Every structure is written in C-alpha cells, then in structure tokens.
Amino acid sequence: METLLLEIGTEEIPAGYIEPALNAISSMLLQKMTDARINHGSARFFATPRRLAVEVQKVAAKQKLLISEVVGPPEKVAFNEKGQPTVAAKKFAEKVGVSVNALTTLTLLKNILPKVILSTPFPKTMKWAELDIQFARPIHSILSLLGEKIIPFTIGDIKSGRYTCGHYFMNNTKLKISSPEDYIKTLRSAKVLVDLQARKKSLEKEIDKAAKKVGGKILPDDELVEIVKNLVEYPVATVGKFDKKFLEVPSEILITAMREHQKYFAVIDNKGNLMPCFIAVNNTRTKDMNLVSTGHEWVLRARLADAQFFYKSDLEYSSKDRVEKLKGVLFQAKLGSMHEKIVRLQKIGGFLSDKVETGSDLKKHVTRAAWLCKADLVSHVVVEFPKLQGIMGRVYASVTNEPVAVAKAIEEHYRPIYSGGELPGTRAGAILAIADKIDNICGFFSVGLTPTGASDPYALRRQGIGLIQIMLDKNFSFSLKEIIEKSLNLYGVKGAGKIREIAGPVNTFIQSRMTHLLAEQGFSKDVIQAVVSVSADNVPDVWNRAKALQNLKTAPDFEPLAVAFKRVVNIIKKVKGFKAKPIKENLFEHDSEDALYSAYQAVKDNVSINLKKGDPGQALHEIATLRGPVDAFFDGVLVMAKETNIRNNRLSLLKHIADLFETIADFSKIST
C-alpha cells in the first residue's frame, strides 16, 4: 500500500474557487480509482492560492482482478480429436479475451490524473499561451507521486514530477518532495502552510494577537476568516489605525467598507464598540511591518472617506424622497416597480397584523415599515455596499425618528438571509418578512418563473423555508391558503379558476418545503405524509400533529392501533363517493355497534377541545381509546351487510370515526 499525492501548481486562484475545486478533484479521483478497481483509503486535500493538492492513502499497487464466468461452446465442439482448439474455441477466446494480469496502479493513474485535473469545475476558466487546455489559472507545475515513484504524464507543456515551490516572497525555491509523507513538512520549512486547518489556526492566532496589541479584540467574522485563509500561504497580521472622525459614520458602514473591499478585520473594545483600528492579513513578513501598516492605512482612508461621503449625501434626502425614487426601480420586468411592491406589502402586512393581534400598534408599525422597507435600495451607501440593504433602512429610519419597532422591522424583513440564518426578532419584523416572501413567491409563480430541479434563480426555495421557519418561531397560525389568495389578488389575479390555477402550485411548493424541513428534523417519512396529506395550511399545527404522531408511534401498542384505524380508512375508501349520514341507533343489530357509537360520542368532544387548545397529543390519546371498540365492532358485525340501510349505517359510523382521527393524520399512510 502506497500514498498518492497530486499537486497542481498555478498562478493565484480566487479564494472562492479553492475549496469547491478541492472537493471536486478528490471526489472525481476516488470515483475513477474505484471504477478502475484500485483499492484505496480516504482522501484529504491541501491548498494555498498557488496550489491545489489531494492525498489518497492506502493505494493498492495493482488493480483488483475481475473474475467472471462465461459459458463457452461444449468441449466436443471447442476441441478436436487431437485436443487442439477449434475455430469455435478461438472465436470464443477472442470474444471474452481478458488478460490474467492486472494492470499496475501507476500505469492506470497516468491516464486517470490528467482527466481529473482537466475536469475540475470552476465558475470561470482561462486559456494561456497556445495551449488547448483550460483551468482556473495557468498551470506552472504538477507534482505527482505514488509513494516515492513519479506518476509520469503531461498536461499542455507541463510534465509531472516530484517538485513544488516554496513561498513566492520568503522562499521562492524549487523544492524536491521525496515522498508524500514529506510534503507538509517540506513546505512548512519553505514558509508555506499548505494544510488549510493549520493555516486557519495560524491566521486566528495572528489576528487575535494583533488585536490585543491595541487593547481590543476581533469582531467575530467566521466567513471572513475562511476567505482570508485562502488568500495567503503564510498569514502575517498587522494592526492599522484610522481617524476617529470616521466613527461618526454608522459602524455597519465602516465594518463593511473594511471587510468587503479590503478583507480587513474590525476591532472592538470590551463593550463591543468599534475601535478606530483594523487588522490586515499579509502574505509575507517584511523587515518593517510598520511600513506595511502605513500602506494599509492609506488605502483604507480613501475607502472610509468615500463611505462617509455616501452616508452624508444620503442624509440630505428624506424618506419620502427615497420612496418616490422607487417608482423608477424595477422589481421584476413582468411584476412592476419596487414602489408597487411596497404598496402590496402594506396591504398584506396589514392583513396579517389583523390575524395576529388587534387593538395595538402592531398594524401601524408593520404598514409604516412596509412603506419604508425598500427605500434604502436607492441610497448611495447600499448602491456601493449591497449587503447593507435593510441595515441602512433601519439606520435611516432611526435617524428620522421612526418608532424603534418600525426601524427594526425594516432590517429584519429580509431574514433569514441564508439557510440557517437569524430569524426576525420582533413580531412586526416577522410579519413584514412573511409578507415580503409570500409576495415574491406568488409574484414569480404568477408569471411562470418557478424553481426547477436544477435552477432557483430567485431563491424561492430559501424564501419558502424562511417563511415556514418564521411562522414556527412566532407560532403564527394564520391560513397559508388565505395569504396566498390575498397576495394573488393584489397582483391582479381575478376569478376563482385563475386563482386556483396559480395557488395550487404555490401551496404544493410551500408544502414541499415543509416536508423537507420535517425530514431534516428527524420525522419519519410516513409520519410526514400522514400529517401533511390531511392539512398543511396551519404551519405550527402541522408540526404539533407530527410531534404527537411521532410520539404515539413509540408506544408499545401502536401497531395494532394503526392497523385498526387503517382498516377503518380503507373500508371507507373502497366505497367511492360515500357520504356519511346521521347515525340511526335503531338500525344497530349487535352490541358492538352500540359500544362503538357510545365510545365515539364520549371521545369526539374531548378531541375537539384538545385540538382547539393546540394539544393534538392529548387528542390522539383520546382517539386511541377507540381501538378496543373498533376491534370489537369488526369482530361482531359484517360492515358490508346485504341490507342497504344497515350497511350504510355501519359505513356512516366508520366514516364519523375516520373523520375524527383524520383531523390529525391519515393513518392509511402509516407504515406498520
């Protein structure tokens, strides 16, 4: 068993390309080795901006033998009287001819590795020189070893070998790698931290140490750490300072200016306040790091001056001015302007506020926030820093003395910004976020711009999930069907038929997001289907019923209970179009009919009360008490009696019972 090491040395690759490329390379390599019947262990990868590398351990020296049995011609036909092979035998041998010797791994990898390298996916690729190959950046070297042996191949004009290079500035030498085991250590000695996690730890240590020098600490930013980690081969942090006058600008603007354009880390004091300092991470250590800091300060000064100018310019405009400008901002070509959108959001937000709470300022705050929530899109700051949308809306609302609830709702209405992101904290923010998301979903569905299996350009799936998460978080139990229809009406969709035509797919889409979330949270497939198929209109109710049913499934006597209830449902389903009629006790012929009807009457009111209280678990517990009478009923009578009145009376009794437990779940979908 040997270790395989492949390194592709390049010009600097964009930070965002690196780890997706590494995942693709390692995945493709392992798959191709498996397909070639090369036994191997696990893979791990390494990278810097100038190299992508993958290591595979426990690689077999030869591919596995492929043994198969193929029936040939009978011996009498295959060999003549002298024992010599006939034409039939020779043709058969040619047909199934497989060498008894397995190919060496080295021979196979000569063909596999070039294909893997040139198949690496990147958002953008480039060609160089006169070569007919493409990669993220020009390839300068290829290190390719199996144990101590070179795997020889050529890509373009680059031949593979055992050499790599050290740090471009601090040790720009050609390095010989004798075996894969020497790779990390040799590069470290040449000022290259090729192990991503080791480089990340070094980076975090460097920036923390630098921040402590000025009596502060790093503003937590895991995403920026991941980006900067892939911008350097050897992280060296320096502290820079900026003029305190810039602290008059909202800290969000300063932090974003440092982060987005320069990839600088912000520094805060023990109270969480922004300090007039920043941490820059360099790719080399120079003799005079103070000179390096000065250079960073000069660059940042210009950035902050621009940000300050943008902010002050924005303050010269009123909220009314910015809202008016939205008439010239397109929401979507087929869906009108952003101004038209905020008018719809006011109406949906007011509609939802009435559903949630009456007799308070909630509706007033929601509708005011809806009117202002997109105004910052035309501000100078957001045009320069798009990630500050919503945040600047909150800032400008605060500056103009809007109520705190309004300012917060403006910022929160975009949440969650990403999968698993923070949800709105306030009720007004939550309602406006739901209004915005349902307006987006219904709007795009109404003009046929729906997600496909391969594409979701308007992030509707994320918005659907976000809508559900918010409703769960705030326990909003209003009807999805109602808000979908309200939204479609506001888009001018008229007529019950046309509304159903669009609302149906929207409901299905949101229901599929519920199913996805329920599965992620560990609910079994049959529980999800049993609950969602009954009703998915009230989001918290769906989750409550799923929890109740999942808990009931753990009960020791659940299986016979489910069997009994499934039998009830299946009998009703077999009688197509059957509608229950009032139960006539005078038609009962057996004690089991009286007993089941009495048990049903005793249970139904308690079930209704518990469901109204939002306690489907207790409702299920009440329904479960019907199992004994149901079993006795099936043992005591023939449901499909010959006499029509008696048969229909028994079916009506079962239908009433089926309707009772189908307020919670469709037991026919439960696996037993």
Side-chain angles (χ1 to χ4, degrees), residues 260-310:
E260 296 301 314
H261 289 308
Q262 305 305 131
K263 303 298 182 284
Y264 294 162
F265 290 89
V267 181
I268 55 176
D269 61 23
N270 290 330
K271 294 181 179 180
N273 298 316
L274 188 67
M275 296 176 66
C277 307
F278 65 92
I279 307 298
V281 178
N282 309 278
N283 193 32
T284 186
R285 192 180 298 281
T286 64
K287 290 181 180 180
D288 188 357
M289 293 303 295
N290 290 328
L291 187 61
V292 174
S293 295
T294 301
H296 287 300
E297 289 170 354
W298 274 99
V299 172
L300 185 61
R301 185 178 296 116
R303 292 291 188 191
L304 296 186
D306 287 345
Q308 184 182 48
F309 172 76
F310 294 143

Short mmCIF file of all heavy atoms in Angstrom, two decimals, residues 260-310:
data_model
loop_
_atom_site.label_atom_id
_atom_site.label_comp_id
_atom_site.label_asym_id
_atom_site.label_seq_id
_atom_site.Cartn_x
_atom_site.Cartn_y
_atom_site.Cartn_z
N GLU A 260 -15.49 44.22 2.90
CA GLU A 260 -15.81 43.86 1.52
C GLU A 260 -14.71 44.22 0.54
O GLU A 260 -14.36 43.43 -0.34
CB GLU A 260 -17.13 44.52 1.10
CG GLU A 260 -18.34 44.06 1.89
CD GLU A 260 -18.58 42.58 1.77
OE1 GLU A 260 -18.52 42.03 0.65
OE2 GLU A 260 -18.81 41.93 2.82
N HIS A 261 -14.17 45.42 0.68
CA HIS A 261 -13.18 45.87 -0.29
C HIS A 261 -11.77 45.43 0.05
O HIS A 261 -10.97 45.11 -0.83
CB HIS A 261 -13.22 47.39 -0.43
CG HIS A 261 -14.44 47.90 -1.13
ND1 HIS A 261 -14.84 47.43 -2.36
CD2 HIS A 261 -15.36 48.84 -0.78
CE1 HIS A 261 -15.94 48.05 -2.74
NE2 HIS A 261 -16.28 48.90 -1.80
N GLN A 262 -11.43 45.44 1.35
CA GLN A 262 -10.04 45.22 1.74
C GLN A 262 -9.79 43.90 2.46
O GLN A 262 -8.66 43.52 2.69
CB GLN A 262 -9.57 46.37 2.64
CG GLN A 262 -9.73 47.75 2.03
CD GLN A 262 -9.05 47.89 0.68
OE1 GLN A 262 -9.63 48.36 -0.27
NE2 GLN A 262 -7.81 47.43 0.59
N LYS A 263 -10.85 43.23 2.89
CA LYS A 263 -10.73 41.99 3.66
C LYS A 263 -9.98 42.24 4.98
O LYS A 263 -9.20 41.42 5.44
CB LYS A 263 -10.02 40.89 2.85
CG LYS A 263 -10.70 40.56 1.53
CD LYS A 263 -12.09 40.03 1.73
CE LYS A 263 -12.79 39.66 0.43
NZ LYS A 263 -13.28 40.81 -0.33
N TYR A 264 -10.26 43.40 5.59
CA TYR A 264 -9.68 43.75 6.89
C TYR A 264 -10.64 43.32 7.99
O TYR A 264 -11.87 43.38 7.84
CB TYR A 264 -9.45 45.25 7.02
CG TYR A 264 -8.40 45.83 6.09
CD1 TYR A 264 -8.37 47.20 5.86
CD2 TYR A 264 -7.45 45.04 5.45
CE1 TYR A 264 -7.41 47.77 5.01
CE2 TYR A 264 -6.50 45.58 4.61
CZ TYR A 264 -6.50 46.95 4.38
OH TYR A 264 -5.56 47.50 3.54
N PHE A 265 -10.08 42.94 9.14
CA PHE A 265 -10.88 42.58 10.31
C PHE A 265 -11.10 43.81 11.18
O PHE A 265 -10.16 44.56 11.46
CB PHE A 265 -10.18 41.49 11.12
CG PHE A 265 -10.14 40.16 10.44
CD1 PHE A 265 -9.08 39.83 9.59
CD2 PHE A 265 -11.14 39.22 10.62
CE1 PHE A 265 -9.03 38.60 8.95
CE2 PHE A 265 -11.10 37.99 9.98
CZ PHE A 265 -10.05 37.68 9.14
N ALA A 266 -12.35 44.00 11.63
CA ALA A 266 -12.67 45.10 12.53
C ALA A 266 -12.27 44.74 13.96
O ALA A 266 -12.24 43.56 14.34
CB ALA A 266 -14.16 45.42 12.46
N VAL A 267 -11.98 45.77 14.75
CA VAL A 267 -11.57 45.58 16.15
C VAL A 267 -12.58 46.27 17.05
O VAL A 267 -12.98 47.41 16.80
CB VAL A 267 -10.16 46.17 16.38
CG1 VAL A 267 -9.72 45.94 17.84
CG2 VAL A 267 -9.15 45.54 15.43
N ILE A 268 -12.98 45.57 18.10
CA ILE A 268 -13.94 46.14 19.06
C ILE A 268 -13.35 46.13 20.46
O ILE A 268 -12.41 45.38 20.75
CB ILE A 268 -15.27 45.36 19.06
CG1 ILE A 268 -15.03 43.87 19.33
CG2 ILE A 268 -16.01 45.55 17.75
CD1 ILE A 268 -16.30 43.03 19.45
N ASP A 269 -13.91 46.98 21.33
CA ASP A 269 -13.45 47.01 22.72
C ASP A 269 -14.25 46.02 23.55
O ASP A 269 -15.10 45.27 23.01
CB ASP A 269 -13.52 48.43 23.29
CG ASP A 269 -14.95 48.99 23.30
OD1 ASP A 269 -15.91 48.19 23.29
OD2 ASP A 269 -15.10 50.23 23.32
N ASN A 270 -14.04 46.02 24.85
CA ASN A 270 -14.71 45.05 25.72
C ASN A 270 -16.21 45.24 25.80
O ASN A 270 -16.94 44.34 26.20
CB ASN A 270 -14.11 45.12 27.14
CG ASN A 270 -12.69 44.57 27.18
OD1 ASN A 270 -12.35 43.69 26.40
ND2 ASN A 270 -11.87 45.10 28.08
N LYS A 271 -16.70 46.44 25.40
CA LYS A 271 -18.13 46.70 25.41
C LYS A 271 -18.77 46.44 24.06
O LYS A 271 -19.97 46.65 23.88
CB LYS A 271 -18.38 48.15 25.84
CG LYS A 271 -17.98 48.44 27.28
CD LYS A 271 -18.28 49.88 27.65
CE LYS A 271 -17.89 50.17 29.10
NZ LYS A 271 -18.18 51.59 29.47
N GLY A 272 -17.95 45.99 23.11
CA GLY A 272 -18.48 45.70 21.78
C GLY A 272 -18.51 46.89 20.85
O GLY A 272 -19.05 46.80 19.74
N ASN A 273 -17.94 48.01 21.27
CA ASN A 273 -17.90 49.20 20.44
C ASN A 273 -16.74 49.14 19.45
O ASN A 273 -15.65 48.66 19.80
CB ASN A 273 -17.77 50.45 21.30
CG ASN A 273 -18.96 50.63 22.23
OD1 ASN A 273 -20.10 50.46 21.82
ND2 ASN A 273 -18.69 50.95 23.49
N LEU A 274 -16.97 49.64 18.24
CA LEU A 274 -15.94 49.64 17.22
C LEU A 274 -14.80 50.58 17.60
O LEU A 274 -15.04 51.72 18.01
CB LEU A 274 -16.54 50.06 15.88
CG LEU A 274 -15.65 49.94 14.65
CD1 LEU A 274 -15.35 48.47 14.35
CD2 LEU A 274 -16.31 50.59 13.44
N MET A 275 -13.58 50.10 17.48
CA MET A 275 -12.40 50.93 17.75
C MET A 275 -11.85 51.45 16.42
O MET A 275 -12.08 50.85 15.37
CB MET A 275 -11.33 50.09 18.46
CG MET A 275 -11.75 49.59 19.84
SD MET A 275 -10.50 48.51 20.61
CE MET A 275 -9.14 49.67 20.85
N PRO A 276 -11.11 52.57 16.44
CA PRO A 276 -10.54 53.12 15.20
C PRO A 276 -9.30 52.34 14.76
O PRO A 276 -8.24 52.91 14.52
CB PRO A 276 -10.22 54.56 15.58
CG PRO A 276 -9.92 54.51 17.03
CD PRO A 276 -10.83 53.45 17.61
N CYS A 277 -9.45 51.04 14.67
CA CYS A 277 -8.34 50.14 14.33
C CYS A 277 -8.84 49.05 13.39
O CYS A 277 -10.04 48.78 13.31
CB CYS A 277 -7.76 49.49 15.58
SG CYS A 277 -7.27 50.61 16.89
N PHE A 278 -7.92 48.40 12.74
CA PHE A 278 -8.26 47.27 11.89
C PHE A 278 -7.06 46.33 11.84
O PHE A 278 -5.93 46.72 12.15
CB PHE A 278 -8.63 47.73 10.47
CG PHE A 278 -7.50 48.38 9.72
CD1 PHE A 278 -6.65 47.63 8.90
CD2 PHE A 278 -7.26 49.74 9.85
CE1 PHE A 278 -5.60 48.23 8.22
CE2 PHE A 278 -6.21 50.35 9.17
CZ PHE A 278 -5.38 49.59 8.36
N ILE A 279 -7.33 45.10 11.45
CA ILE A 279 -6.26 44.10 11.30
C ILE A 279 -6.21 43.67 9.83
O ILE A 279 -7.22 43.23 9.29
CB ILE A 279 -6.49 42.85 12.18
CG1 ILE A 279 -6.73 43.25 13.64
CG2 ILE A 279 -5.32 41.90 12.05
CD1 ILE A 279 -5.60 43.97 14.30
N ALA A 280 -5.05 43.85 9.23
CA ALA A 280 -4.83 43.39 7.85
C ALA A 280 -3.96 42.14 7.89
O ALA A 280 -3.03 42.04 8.69
CB ALA A 280 -4.15 44.48 7.03
N VAL A 281 -4.28 41.18 7.05
CA VAL A 281 -3.50 39.94 6.98
C VAL A 281 -2.69 39.94 5.69
O VAL A 281 -3.24 40.07 4.59
CB VAL A 281 -4.41 38.70 7.04
CG1 VAL A 281 -3.59 37.42 6.92
CG2 VAL A 281 -5.20 38.69 8.35
N ASN A 282 -1.39 39.83 5.84
CA ASN A 282 -0.46 39.86 4.71
C ASN A 282 0.04 38.47 4.39
O ASN A 282 0.01 37.57 5.24
CB ASN A 282 0.72 40.78 5.04
CG ASN A 282 0.27 42.13 5.56
OD1 ASN A 282 -0.06 43.01 4.78
ND2 ASN A 282 0.23 42.30 6.87
N ASN A 283 0.55 38.32 3.19
CA ASN A 283 1.04 37.02 2.74
C ASN A 283 2.55 36.87 2.96
O ASN A 283 3.14 35.88 2.54
CB ASN A 283 0.72 36.82 1.26
CG ASN A 283 0.92 35.38 0.82
OD1 ASN A 283 0.72 34.45 1.59
ND2 ASN A 283 1.35 35.20 -0.42
N THR A 284 3.15 37.85 3.62
CA THR A 284 4.60 37.77 3.84
C THR A 284 4.99 38.61 5.04
O THR A 284 4.28 39.56 5.40
CB THR A 284 5.37 38.24 2.59
OG1 THR A 284 6.76 38.02 2.77
CG2 THR A 284 5.14 39.72 2.33
N ARG A 285 6.10 38.28 5.65
CA ARG A 285 6.63 39.08 6.77
C ARG A 285 7.81 39.88 6.24
O ARG A 285 8.77 39.33 5.71
CB ARG A 285 7.08 38.17 7.91
CG ARG A 285 7.38 38.93 9.20
CD ARG A 285 7.82 37.97 10.30
NE ARG A 285 6.79 37.01 10.64
CZ ARG A 285 5.75 37.26 11.41
NH1 ARG A 285 5.58 38.48 11.92
NH2 ARG A 285 4.86 36.33 11.68
N THR A 286 7.71 41.20 6.39
CA THR A 286 8.78 42.07 5.90
C THR A 286 9.63 42.56 7.07
O THR A 286 9.27 42.40 8.24
CB THR A 286 8.19 43.29 5.16
OG1 THR A 286 7.43 44.07 6.09
CG2 THR A 286 7.29 42.85 4.02
N LYS A 287 10.74 43.21 6.73
CA LYS A 287 11.62 43.73 7.78
C LYS A 287 10.94 44.85 8.55
O LYS A 287 11.14 45.00 9.76
CB LYS A 287 12.92 44.24 7.15
CG LYS A 287 13.82 43.13 6.60
CD LYS A 287 15.10 43.71 6.02
CE LYS A 287 15.99 42.59 5.48
NZ LYS A 287 17.25 43.12 4.90
N ASP A 288 10.16 45.66 7.88
CA ASP A 288 9.48 46.79 8.53
C ASP A 288 7.98 46.65 8.35
O ASP A 288 7.39 47.15 7.40
CB ASP A 288 9.97 48.11 7.92
CG ASP A 288 9.45 49.33 8.69
OD1 ASP A 288 8.66 49.13 9.64
OD2 ASP A 288 9.83 50.45 8.33
N MET A 289 7.34 45.96 9.30
CA MET A 289 5.90 45.75 9.22
C MET A 289 5.12 47.05 9.46
O MET A 289 3.98 47.18 9.05
CB MET A 289 5.45 44.69 10.22
CG MET A 289 5.97 43.28 9.90
SD MET A 289 5.51 42.68 8.25
CE MET A 289 3.74 42.56 8.37
N ASN A 290 5.76 48.02 10.14
CA ASN A 290 5.11 49.31 10.34
C ASN A 290 4.85 50.00 9.00
O ASN A 290 3.84 50.67 8.82
CB ASN A 290 5.96 50.21 11.23
CG ASN A 290 5.99 49.71 12.67
OD1 ASN A 290 5.02 49.13 13.16
ND2 ASN A 290 7.10 49.94 13.35
N LEU A 291 5.78 49.83 8.08
CA LEU A 291 5.62 50.42 6.75
C LEU A 291 4.45 49.77 6.03
O LEU A 291 3.68 50.45 5.33
CB LEU A 291 6.92 50.24 5.95
CG LEU A 291 6.97 50.94 4.59
CD1 LEU A 291 6.84 52.45 4.77
CD2 LEU A 291 8.28 50.60 3.87
N VAL A 292 4.29 48.47 6.24
CA VAL A 292 3.16 47.74 5.65
C VAL A 292 1.84 48.27 6.22
O VAL A 292 0.87 48.51 5.48
CB VAL A 292 3.29 46.23 5.91
CG1 VAL A 292 2.06 45.49 5.43
CG2 VAL A 292 4.53 45.67 5.24
N SER A 293 1.82 48.49 7.54
CA SER A 293 0.61 49.02 8.18
C SER A 293 0.25 50.39 7.63
O SER A 293 -0.93 50.69 7.38
CB SER A 293 0.82 49.12 9.70
OG SER A 293 0.99 47.84 10.26
N THR A 294 1.26 51.22 7.42
CA THR A 294 1.04 52.56 6.87
C THR A 294 0.39 52.48 5.50
O THR A 294 -0.52 53.24 5.17
CB THR A 294 2.36 53.34 6.79
OG1 THR A 294 2.91 53.44 8.11
CG2 THR A 294 2.13 54.74 6.23
N GLY A 295 0.86 51.54 4.69
CA GLY A 295 0.28 51.36 3.36
C GLY A 295 -1.19 50.98 3.43
O GLY A 295 -2.03 51.52 2.68
N HIS A 296 -1.52 50.07 4.33
CA HIS A 296 -2.92 49.68 4.51
C HIS A 296 -3.76 50.86 4.98
O HIS A 296 -4.91 51.04 4.57
CB HIS A 296 -3.02 48.54 5.53
CG HIS A 296 -2.55 47.21 5.02
ND1 HIS A 296 -3.12 46.59 3.94
CD2 HIS A 296 -1.56 46.38 5.45
CE1 HIS A 296 -2.51 45.42 3.72
NE2 HIS A 296 -1.55 45.29 4.63
N GLU A 297 -3.21 51.67 5.87
CA GLU A 297 -3.93 52.83 6.39
C GLU A 297 -4.27 53.83 5.28
O GLU A 297 -5.37 54.39 5.24
CB GLU A 297 -3.11 53.51 7.48
CG GLU A 297 -3.04 52.69 8.77
CD GLU A 297 -2.04 53.24 9.77
OE1 GLU A 297 -1.31 54.19 9.43
OE2 GLU A 297 -1.98 52.70 10.90
N TRP A 298 -3.32 54.04 4.37
CA TRP A 298 -3.55 54.95 3.25
C TRP A 298 -4.69 54.44 2.37
O TRP A 298 -5.56 55.20 1.94
CB TRP A 298 -2.27 55.11 2.42
CG TRP A 298 -1.35 56.16 2.94
CD1 TRP A 298 -0.24 55.99 3.70
CD2 TRP A 298 -1.47 57.58 2.73
NE1 TRP A 298 0.34 57.19 4.00
CE2 TRP A 298 -0.39 58.19 3.41
CE3 TRP A 298 -2.39 58.38 2.04
CZ2 TRP A 298 -0.21 59.57 3.42
CZ3 TRP A 298 -2.20 59.76 2.05
CH2 TRP A 298 -1.13 60.34 2.73
N VAL A 299 -4.68 53.16 2.10
CA VAL A 299 -5.73 52.58 1.27
C VAL A 299 -7.09 52.70 1.94
O VAL A 299 -8.08 53.11 1.32
CB VAL A 299 -5.42 51.10 0.95
CG1 VAL A 299 -6.60 50.44 0.24
CG2 VAL A 299 -4.16 50.97 0.12
N LEU A 300 -7.14 52.36 3.24
CA LEU A 300 -8.42 52.37 3.95
C LEU A 300 -8.95 53.79 4.12
O LEU A 300 -10.17 54.01 4.09
CB LEU A 300 -8.29 51.69 5.31
CG LEU A 300 -9.60 51.53 6.09
CD1 LEU A 300 -10.59 50.69 5.31
CD2 LEU A 300 -9.35 50.92 7.47
N ARG A 301 -8.07 54.74 4.30
CA ARG A 301 -8.51 56.13 4.48
C ARG A 301 -9.39 56.57 3.31
O ARG A 301 -10.43 57.20 3.49
CB ARG A 301 -7.31 57.06 4.63
CG ARG A 301 -7.71 58.51 4.95
CD ARG A 301 -6.50 59.40 5.14
NE ARG A 301 -5.73 58.99 6.31
CZ ARG A 301 -4.48 58.53 6.25
NH1 ARG A 301 -3.87 58.42 5.08
NH2 ARG A 301 -3.85 58.19 7.34
N ALA A 302 -8.96 56.23 2.12
CA ALA A 302 -9.74 56.60 0.94
C ALA A 302 -11.09 55.89 0.93
O ALA A 302 -12.12 56.49 0.57
CB ALA A 302 -8.95 56.26 -0.32
N ARG A 303 -11.09 54.62 1.31
CA ARG A 303 -12.35 53.85 1.34
C ARG A 303 -13.33 54.45 2.35
O ARG A 303 -14.52 54.61 2.07
CB ARG A 303 -12.06 52.40 1.73
CG ARG A 303 -11.29 51.60 0.69
CD ARG A 303 -12.13 51.35 -0.54
NE ARG A 303 -11.48 50.43 -1.46
CZ ARG A 303 -11.90 50.21 -2.69
NH1 ARG A 303 -12.97 50.84 -3.15
NH2 ARG A 303 -11.26 49.36 -3.48
N LEU A 304 -12.83 54.79 3.55
CA LEU A 304 -13.71 55.32 4.58
C LEU A 304 -14.19 56.72 4.24
O LEU A 304 -15.32 57.10 4.58
CB LEU A 304 -12.99 55.31 5.93
CG LEU A 304 -12.61 53.93 6.48
CD1 LEU A 304 -12.04 54.05 7.88
CD2 LEU A 304 -13.79 52.97 6.47
N ALA A 305 -13.34 57.49 3.57
CA ALA A 305 -13.75 58.83 3.15
C ALA A 305 -14.90 58.73 2.15
O ALA A 305 -15.86 59.52 2.21
CB ALA A 305 -12.56 59.57 2.53
N ASP A 306 -14.82 57.77 1.24
CA ASP A 306 -15.91 57.55 0.29
C ASP A 306 -17.19 57.15 1.02
O ASP A 306 -18.28 57.67 0.74
CB ASP A 306 -15.54 56.45 -0.71
CG ASP A 306 -14.51 56.91 -1.73
OD1 ASP A 306 -14.30 58.13 -1.85
OD2 ASP A 306 -13.92 56.04 -2.39
N ALA A 307 -17.05 56.22 1.99
CA ALA A 307 -18.22 55.74 2.73
C ALA A 307 -18.85 56.89 3.51
O ALA A 307 -20.08 57.03 3.57
CB ALA A 307 -17.81 54.62 3.68
N GLN A 308 -18.02 57.75 4.11
CA GLN A 308 -18.51 58.90 4.86
C GLN A 308 -19.28 59.85 3.94
O GLN A 308 -20.35 60.36 4.28
CB GLN A 308 -17.34 59.62 5.52
CG GLN A 308 -17.75 60.79 6.41
CD GLN A 308 -16.54 61.48 6.99
OE1 GLN A 308 -15.59 61.79 6.27
NE2 GLN A 308 -16.56 61.72 8.30
N PHE A 309 -18.73 60.07 2.76
CA PHE A 309 -19.37 60.95 1.78
C PHE A 309 -20.73 60.39 1.36
O PHE A 309 -21.72 61.12 1.30
CB PHE A 309 -18.47 61.13 0.56
CG PHE A 309 -19.13 61.85 -0.57
CD1 PHE A 309 -19.30 63.22 -0.54
CD2 PHE A 309 -19.63 61.14 -1.67
CE1 PHE A 309 -19.94 63.90 -1.59
CE2 PHE A 309 -20.27 61.81 -2.72
CZ PHE A 309 -20.42 63.19 -2.67
N PHE A 310 -20.78 59.08 1.07
CA PHE A 310 -22.04 58.45 0.67
C PHE A 310 -23.10 58.60 1.77
O PHE A 310 -24.26 58.92 1.49
CB PHE A 310 -21.83 56.97 0.36
CG PHE A 310 -20.97 56.70 -0.83
CD1 PHE A 310 -20.08 55.62 -0.84
CD2 PHE A 310 -21.03 57.51 -1.96
CE1 PHE A 310 -19.28 55.37 -1.94
CE2 PHE A 310 -20.23 57.26 -3.06
CZ PHE A 310 -19.35 56.19 -3.06
#
